[in-house]
Amino acid sequence: MTDLRTRWRGFRSGMSQRWDRLPKASKIGLIVVFIVFLYALPNKGFYEYLGLPLGEYIPLYTTRNDMATVLFQCGYYILLALGLNIVVGYAGLLDLGFFGFFAVGAYTVATLTSPTSKIFTEYNWLDSPWPWLVALPLAIALSLLAGVILGWPVLRLRGDYLAIVTLGFAEMIRIVAQQNDWIFNGDRGITQIAHPPGSSGGKPIFAFDAKPYYWLVLTVIIGMVFLIRNLVRSRVGRAWVAIREDEDAAELMGVPTYKFKIWAFAMGAGIGGFSGALWAGQANFVNSSTFRLEQSILVLAAVLLGGAGNIFGAILGGFLVIYVPEWLRSIGDVFGLPEQVRIAGEPYDVSATNLRYLFFGIILIVVMIFRPQGLWPNRRRAAEIKDREKEAMVGA
């Protein structure tokens, strides 16, 4: 195992040195090729062009679920992971209720754009449903405001106490949505949510096909990467890192820690609301059953799996937590595994579809044992974890 690790580190170091030696134009060219590859992923023609026959073994394609739908799901989870990475990875604030902001964005778009919303049909607060594009900025703004309202009283707490409060916030959003028949229509939810604008040949581009939504969310992610990258390199980002490293020391050095923690919370909440607004448009329906506690845990797992404090780690984690379970549905087809087995005459469902989260959980445990810093960690955080491991060994 040690030899394998040494080889992997040598390979990674070699690749990193080769990348650093490349001219800037070559780096940009390779990045552009990779982005084009990402846009081509949901097209079946792309795999046929590569000579990969559909219906047989295809390394990337998901055979039990539409590939474009899976990629869109990966996309909005990546956005969520990017938002939570600001809160957890950079500012060091443990937030267990991040999916609550996703719900705020989704419900805002739903209530403002659906013709079945009660604010049009019963209360006549507005004359007609808003276009999706007009409702989107308000969804982001309300999510951001929710982050400020929540953060204002609770960000004086730390660690476990903050985690419990944020967990309560997400559950409160879900329960209000479930039991509120006044606007949110309870568990019946809100239907006929508007899609983003645009048409081609007289037909709307954004309808129930997930492919245009995947391209849209991919474009948003690319823009968000540039935004967050510049932000973390600014004075704000350095303040977040100082707070994460040692909040008391940062306070003594003159960093207004409370203000910057509010900023981190608000920024993360706004991105979470953006993700919810995109999802609501594609789903065309929203109710409380979507915003369960497991979703918040899954987003946090994405950040930790990928590597907290690293933008590309968050992207990798957000992709893996959705793509791997969906791809695992396909392994029964790929390897010809049985769907059922009989034990003592009783049939038991052992299909890969049914057991995929068991396999995924095992993968997560193994990764966290051997890579506690995540698959693509921030270099500084990885060094911190190594130091703590050494201290623990010395103490033992």
Side-chain angles (χ1 to χ4, degrees):
M1 184 61 74
T2 306
D3 187 47
L4 192 64
R5 280 187 185 181
T6 307
R7 287 185 183 181
W8 167 248
R9 283 173 187 163
F11 171 76
R12 197 177 56 183
S13 174
M15 292 298 290
S16 177
Q17 287 173 6
R18 285 184 185 180
W19 174 260
D20 291 340
R21 284 198 295 267
L22 280 176
K24 190 175 180 181
S26 301
K27 289 181 181 175
I28 293 173
L30 287 173
I31 291 170
V32 169
V33 169
F34 181 65
I35 290 173
V36 170
F37 166 74
L38 292 179
Y39 277 98
L41 270 180
N43 292 310
K44 283 188 177 178
F46 170 69
Y47 300 91
E48 290 166 346
Y49 179 77
L50 291 178
L52 299 172
L54 293 170
E56 297 178 22
Y57 177 67
I58 302 170
L60 293 174
Y61 217 77
T62 52
T63 58
R64 289 286 182 104
N65 206 345
D66 177 50
M67 183 69 171
T69 303
V70 173
L71 289 174
F72 173 65
Q73 290 173 351
C74 292
Y76 71 75
Y77 262 85
I78 287 172
L79 263 186
L80 283 166
L82 284 172
L84 186 60
N85 189 44
I86 292 175
V87 181
V88 176
Y90 290 114
L93 306 169
L94 186 54
D95 184 353
L96 285 183
F98 194 71
F99 220 71
F101 303 117
F102 179 89
V104 172
Y107 267 109
T108 303
V109 167
T111 51
L112 290 175
T113 66
S114 168
T116 64
S117 170
K118 287 188 175 182
I119 65 173
F120 307 109
T121 57
E122 287 191 26
Y123 308 120
N124 299 315
W125 291 346
L126 295 171
D127 293 332
S128 60
W130 290 13
W132 184 87
L133 210 54
V134 177
L136 177 67
L138 189 62
I140 298 170
L142 284 180
S143 306
L144 197 144
L145 184 63
V148 174
I149 292 172
L150 175 66
W152 197 268
V154 306
L155 283 179
R156 298 187 191 283
L157 303 174
R158 297 183 188 180
D160 301 344
Y161 302 104
L162 180 61
I164 291 169
V165 171
T166 51
L167 180 65
F169 163 74
E171 275 301 280
M172 193 174 66
I173 293 278
R174 187 186 65 80
I175 292 169
V176 167
Q178 186 181 39
Q179 299 184 353
N180 183 296
D181 197 51
W182 180 51
I183 291 180
F184 301 135
N185 216 19
D187 262 348
R188 295 188 299 281
I190 302 172
T191 60
Q192 300 181 42
I193 301 169
H195 299 287
S199 62
S200 175
K203 294 182 178 178
I205 296 173
F206 295 94
F208 296 101
D209 183 8
K211 202 183 294 182
Y213 275 97
Y214 164 66
W215 290 328
L216 175 62
V217 78
L218 179 58
T219 308
V220 172
I221 289 168
I222 292 170
M224 206 59 73
V225 167
F226 281 106
L227 174 70
I228 296 173
R229 192 178 170 84
N230 286 332
L231 196 62
V232 297
R233 290 180 173 182
S234 69
R235 178 170 169 264
V236 177
R238 290 194 293 274
W240 287 340
V241 173
I243 293 168
R244 185 192 71 199
E245 299 296 318
D246 192 328
E247 186 176 343
D248 294 331
E251 189 83 45
L252 288 171
M253 294 300 291
V255 176
T257 55
Y258 184 65
K259 183 180 84 174
F260 283 110
K261 286 198 291 186
I262 290 274
W263 281 21
F265 227 63
M267 276 290 299
I271 296 172
F274 198 164
S275 178
L278 287 170
W279 170 81
Q282 197 274 333
N284 202 237
F285 170 73
V286 58
N287 76 350
S288 61
S289 64
T290 311
F291 313 112
R292 299 186 305 272
L293 171 63
E294 302 93 277
Q295 311 299 331
S296 289
I297 303 295
L298 199 60
V299 180
L300 183 61
V303 174
L304 298 180
L305 175 68
N310 186 359
I311 295 172
F312 300 106
I315 291 173
L316 179 65
F319 174 76
L320 290 178
V321 297
I322 298 300
Y323 177 78
V324 171
E326 292 302 324
W327 184 84
L328 285 173
R329 288 177 188 264
S330 314
I331 61 171
D333 302 332
V334 174
F335 299 107
L337 301 177
E339 297 281 321
Q340 281 189 341
V341 295
R342 284 190 171 274
I343 300 175
E346 293 293 327
Y348 290 91
D349 187 350
V350 293
S351 63
T353 300
N354 196 35
L355 299 178
R356 68 188 189 284
Y357 278 107
L358 172 67
F359 297 142
F360 181 61
I362 293 170
I363 293 170
L364 274 182
I365 291 170
V366 172
V367 170
M368 284 295 106
I369 288 173
F370 291 102
R371 296 281 297 177
Q373 70 274 36
L375 294 171
W376 196 338
N378 177 290
R379 289 179 184 174
R380 182 179 294 178
R381 283 184 66 85
E384 285 172 15
I385 290 175
K386 272 188 180 178
D387 289 343
R388 287 174 194 164
E389 285 176 351
K390 285 178 184 174
E391 287 172 7
M393 289 174 69
V394 170

